[in-house]
Amino acid sequence: MSPLGDSQSEQPPWWWEDVDPNRTGVSGDFAKEFKNETVKEPGILACDHIPAEASLLVRESIQNSWDAARERYAADADVNARGGGSEPFAIRFRFLELEGADRDSFCAEMGLNDLADRITEMRHQSGKDPRGDLGLGERDCLTSLRAPHSLHVLQLVEEHGGGMDGPWQGGRSKLWRAMCSLGMTRETAGHGGSYGYGKAGLIRGSAIRTVVAYTCFREHPHDKGVTRRLLGMTYWGSHRLGGDYTGTRWFGSVTDDGARVPFVNEAADDVARRLGIEIRNPRFAAQLGTTLLVVDPTVTSDDVLRATERHWWPALEDDDVDFCVSVVDESGDGVERHPQPTRNRDLKPFIDSYERALSPPDAAPGRNDLWRVHALNAVLEFGKPGTLALAADSSDGENWTFPSIGADDGTQSGRSWEHRSLVALVRGPRMVVEYWDKKQAWPYVRGTFVASREVDDALRATEPKAHDEWHDDWVSGDVPEASARLAKTVINAIGRQIDKFRKELKPEPPPSRELKLDIWDDLARLLDGPDRGTGNPPPPPPPPPRSLSIHPGGRLVADPDGRIHCAGTATVQWNEDHLPPNAATSNIEVRLRFNFEGADRKEVVGAELVVQAPHGFAETEPGSGRFSGRLAVGETAEFEYLSESYNPEWTGTLTVDAVVVGDLMSAAAETGGVEE
């Protein structure tokens, strides 16, 4: 039997929404909410690049489905007084390839020919291609609709979900909020975010911005007799074609009084059947949930699988959560592939850290040099924020904690990447909010922070629409001040624990005979004064006190390949003998440079220097090594740096300049090569 079945009937209506000056106007191009939106891939994650469309689709669609399921589980627990628990939630990404009669029937049902004709009419009317203004790319299935090509469709099928219930009035329908509104606040605590924004990630998954939702739910007390609804939408930009349109196209029923409503119950089942969607029955818990139909997907089955592994491994690996994701590709063999994050060696340190963070304190073995577990201190008003677990690399081969510095910007599979210290931030839904990047030199660590229930809602309130960061800025008013302070406290605490662990991992500095600081030798000879009896004049008087105290803090480290590099922490602080009248208004400029000379001391080459500036200082120009910021009295600005590796026969020179705007104060340290 064909995926669309054999049923034929009168085509359901599609209609375009008119611009009405008596209502709030919203363009149908909801996908622009994620315009130029990317998902950060710091460090090693950049090696296995995942297209942003796949990551956004996987993050947003699964989160909305999972939130709805968890909401139903919680309601059932309250009704049955079971105190918790869940059902085996599952979501399947099913890719289909329609050909021949199946393709033609589907195109007619979805009104795709009408969409193609509309673009043609708009082009003739305006004399230009309207696709960009509509939010479409240069090519999609509409550009070749009348050619005998196959049509690709993606179904997202939930099992044991929650469904989108609620009466179709007054904004109480979850289906309306999910498909037709923008930014309507979710009322239930502990979930991913607001209804409305999630569909922007879903819409970006369709090249022609067209999706259908078929949802099944238990009867709502204020929506008697209704257990299924189906609604289709096309989300284009506002435009004019014989009238003004918002760009939103509806697919559903029209009541006798002209109201636009979804298909309901048996009518919804009938349309779903014609679209190749499996029918749902509300009497069975496994069939509660939603099937989303994405026309002309912009993502592949492989990308969906990899994105699920990267962003949802906490839910997949948590023994206390019944959570399953599978992918069926277009081959037609029906084989389900499941994400296997534990087989991804780049994710394994995060997964191991997650398991340690969730383990009872008395279950953890004694101190281990390769990992740390730390429960963050309680925060007033919120309680305990959560637990952080950090890991170092224990492998004997290629080691990401102590990589070969010369190969730090390495290549793998033809893609460039660099090592970083990364922490996966995780809260209630068990999706990775962000792989937080602690931009530092080696040694590198990886880990996972698991937020507690006490702070889950507060941290959620700081997240942007993509739920990919915990903001600590409340100045704009978009983030509650208490929540922002909590986010800042958590992030700062994670940073301190990383610094502490890295310090413990760092090897002992090389013997002093391997480190030659020529400039300090010159200063020592100068301070010794002239040889007595030689008649040389006395040294000049000392210079006036400097405003700033500078300590370059450089040291040489030998690389495994025989080369060397300079690493350390340069510190800048106010000189106790020359404190500023008002440090809060004094701007400080700091510059770090590193050069090395050949053995004949004639060839001077500017070397790459990676610098991690402290909080409050920003680089004035990318790659310049110049940083500007303010320094309070009693504070120390620490600049971590790491030079590129070089031949030990060369002499390296690290120069650190610190300037109070209007003054000129600097200090320089020179590091020499390792003596053979």
Side-chain angles (χ1 to χ4, degrees):
M1 183 175 178
S2 71
L4 297 181
D6 298 325
S7 174
Q8 298 292 331
S9 67
E10 181 181 353
Q11 301 305 319
W14 282 92
W15 66 91
W16 291 92
E17 183 179 84
D18 297 318
V19 173
D20 185 347
N22 296 314
R23 296 180 303 180
T24 301
V26 179
S27 171
D29 188 10
F30 289 177
K32 68 183 179 182
E33 291 298 323
F34 279 145
K35 184 178 181 181
N36 296 326
E37 189 84 28
T38 60
V39 177
K40 290 172 281 189
E41 297 182 312
I44 192 64
L45 300 180
C47 176
D48 185 24
H49 171 66
I50 300 173
E53 286 79 6
S55 288
L56 290 172
L57 173 67
V58 164
R59 288 173 63 91
E60 296 300 323
S61 62
I62 294 180
Q63 180 168 268
N64 287 345
S65 297
W66 181 223
D67 282 351
R70 293 169 63 224
E71 182 177 342
R72 181 174 69 82
Y73 301 159
D76 288 350
D78 291 339
V79 171
N80 299 327
R82 290 188 285 114
S86 67
E87 297 173 14
F89 171 83
I91 184 167
R92 180 171 71 255
F93 291 80
R94 183 187 179 204
F95 289 81
L96 300 172
E97 185 175 10
L98 306 180
E99 297 179 310
D102 291 337
R103 171 189 179 277
D104 295 341
S105 177
F106 183 90
C107 289
E109 195 77 31
M110 295 295 295
L112 300 190
N113 290 310
D114 294 338
L115 291 180
D117 291 342
R118 194 174 190 85
I119 293 175
T120 300
E121 292 177 25
M122 292 178 65
R123 184 183 295 112
H124 291 161
Q125 174 182 279
S126 64
K128 66 175 184 178
D129 190 345
R131 300 180 66 85
D133 294 335
L134 296 175
L136 303 176
E138 294 182 0
R139 296 192 62 82
D140 50 46
C141 70
L142 300 179
T143 60
S144 58
L145 197 61
R146 289 173 173 81
H149 298 306
S150 59
L151 179 67
H152 293 267
V153 176
L154 168 61
Q155 293 182 0
L156 286 71
V157 186
E158 301 174 14
E159 294 180 7
H160 287 281
M164 292 185 279
D165 63 359
W168 194 259
Q169 55 185 338
R172 289 185 288 173
S173 167
K174 293 177 183 176
L175 178 62
W176 180 85
R177 295 206 297 268
M179 297 285 285
C180 310
S181 73
L182 189 64
M184 296 295 288
T185 302
R186 185 186 297 276
E187 298 176 353
T188 305
H191 290 173
S194 297
Y195 279 113
Y197 288 120
K199 72 171 148 295
L202 180 70
I203 297 167
R204 270 186 59 168
S206 167
I208 64 171
R209 306 299 193 242
T210 299
V211 299
V212 173
Y214 169 59
T215 186
C216 177
F217 42 84
R218 289 174 178 162
E219 184 177 303
H220 191 280
H222 301 294
D223 197 25
K224 294 295 185 180
V226 179
T227 57
R228 285 101 67 212
R229 282 193 172 97
L230 184 145
L231 177 68
M233 301 288 287
T234 294
Y235 303 94
W236 285 4
S238 57
H239 58 273
R240 172 173 292 183
L241 185 64
D244 294 325
Y245 299 92
T246 65
T248 302
R249 188 180 71 145
W250 296 66
F251 176 52
S253 296
V254 180
T255 63
D256 294 338
D257 58 0
R260 303 161 182 172
V261 296
F263 298 103
V264 176
N265 293 347
E266 288 78 11
D269 297 339
D270 183 55
V271 176
R273 187 180 296 107
R274 296 200 302 270
L275 293 175
I277 299 175
E278 295 179 2
I279 304 307
R280 294 177 177 270
N281 189 328
R283 292 180 297 174
F284 301 99
Q287 294 186 26
L288 295 174
T290 302
T291 297
L292 295 168
L293 182 69
V294 179
V295 184
D296 197 9
T298 60
V299 300
T300 68
S301 57
D302 286 338
D303 289 340
V304 167
L305 202 64
R306 293 187 299 123
T308 304
E309 289 181 350
R310 178 175 296 182
H311 302 294
W312 283 100
W313 58 259
L316 293 168
E317 297 300 322
D318 196 323
D319 293 335
D320 294 332
V321 178
D322 288 324
F323 182 94
C324 177
V325 179
S326 63
V327 178
V328 180
D329 63 24
E330 302 91 334
S331 63
D333 59 12
V335 176
E336 294 189 11
R337 293 189 294 162
H338 297 269
Q340 297 178 309
T342 56
R343 293 190 177 184
N344 187 324
R345 66 175 185 175
D346 296 327
L347 296 180
K348 194 174 187 307
F350 302 106
I351 298 173
D352 291 343
S353 299
Y354 178 76
E355 294 174 350
R356 291 191 177 107
L358 294 182
S359 298
D362 55 356
R367 179 185 176 90
N368 188 301
D369 290 337
L370 295 174
W371 59 267
R372 298 288 185 274
V373 178
H374 179 76
L376 271 60
N377 294 330
V379 176
L380 186 65
E381 181 181 350
F382 293 104
K384 296 181 179 179
T387 303
L388 170 70
L390 299 172
D393 194 353
S394 61
S395 62
D396 295 330
E398 183 180 352
N399 188 299
W400 49 259
T401 293
F402 295 99
S404 172
I405 303 301
D408 199 22
D409 290 328
T411 60
Q412 197 174 87
S413 302
R415 298 186 177 93
S416 63
W417 53 274
E418 59 183 11
H419 289 287
R420 300 285 181 85
S421 289
L422 302 174
V423 172
L425 306 181
V426 179
R427 59 177 188 84
R430 293 305 188 250
M431 179 183 75
V432 176
V433 173
E434 175 189 12
Y435 288 92
W436 186 70
D437 184 2
K438 176 72 169 174
K439 299 180 178 66
Q440 291 178 313
W442 63 272
Y444 304 102
V445 299
R446 298 176 189 174
T448 300
F449 171 75
V450 183
S452 66
R453 291 184 178 180
E454 290 89 336
V455 302
D456 194 90
D457 287 337
L459 291 176
R460 173 176 62 90
T462 72
E463 294 174 3
K465 55 182 176 290
H467 312 296
D468 59 353
E469 188 177 0
W470 291 337
H471 279 300
D472 60 3
D473 178 20
W474 66 86
V475 176
S476 64
D478 293 335
V479 177
E481 181 175 348
S483 298
R485 290 187 183 278
L486 170 68
K488 186 173 184 178
T489 298
V490 169
I491 295 299
N492 288 345
I494 292 173
R496 287 194 300 271
Q497 291 303 315
I498 291 177
D499 289 339
K500 181 179 179 181
F501 191 17
R502 290 178 60 251
K503 184 176 181 180
E504 295 170 352
L505 289 170
K506 287 182 178 179
E508 293 294 328
S512 58
R513 62 181 177 82
E514 295 184 3
L515 186 63
K516 184 173 64 177
L517 301 176
D518 295 339
I519 191 170
W520 302 129
D521 294 341
D522 294 340
L523 288 173
R525 284 193 295 271
L526 180 63
L527 294 176
D528 284 342
D531 294 335
R532 297 183 181 279
T534 61
N536 292 332
R546 292 177 171 177
S547 300
L548 298 169
S549 174
I550 306 169
H551 299 278
R555 61 186 178 88
L556 291 181
V557 180
D559 295 340
D561 60 3
R563 295 188 297 172
I564 60 174
H565 66 273
C566 181
T569 302
T571 61
V572 179
Q573 60 187 28
W574 290 106
N575 196 318
E576 294 182 357
D577 299 328
H578 193 78
L579 295 177
N582 189 353
T585 61
S586 298
N587 195 55
I588 308 298
E589 293 185 358
V590 180
R591 184 184 183 190
L592 293 89
R593 294 169 290 167
F594 192 81
N595 295 313
F596 46 77
E597 303 172 342
D600 56 3
R601 303 187 70 84
K602 293 182 179 180
E603 182 180 3
V604 178
V605 181
E608 181 180 354
L609 188 69
V610 178
V611 180
Q612 172 63 39
H615 179 72
F617 281 80
E619 194 167 19
T620 58
E621 183 180 346
S624 66
R626 296 178 182 271
F627 301 87
S628 178
R630 302 192 187 282
L631 183 65
V633 174
E635 289 187 348
T636 300
E638 298 184 349
F639 295 82
E640 292 196 59
Y641 58 83
L642 177 72
S643 79
E644 64 176 292
S645 297
Y646 58 94
N647 192 311
E649 295 182 357
W650 292 49
T651 300
T653 304
L654 170 72
T655 304
V656 183
D657 300 295
V659 177
V660 182
V661 175
D663 297 333
L664 180 60
M665 302 290 168
S666 68
E670 182 174 289
T671 60
V674 178
E675 297 180 351
E676 297 290 341

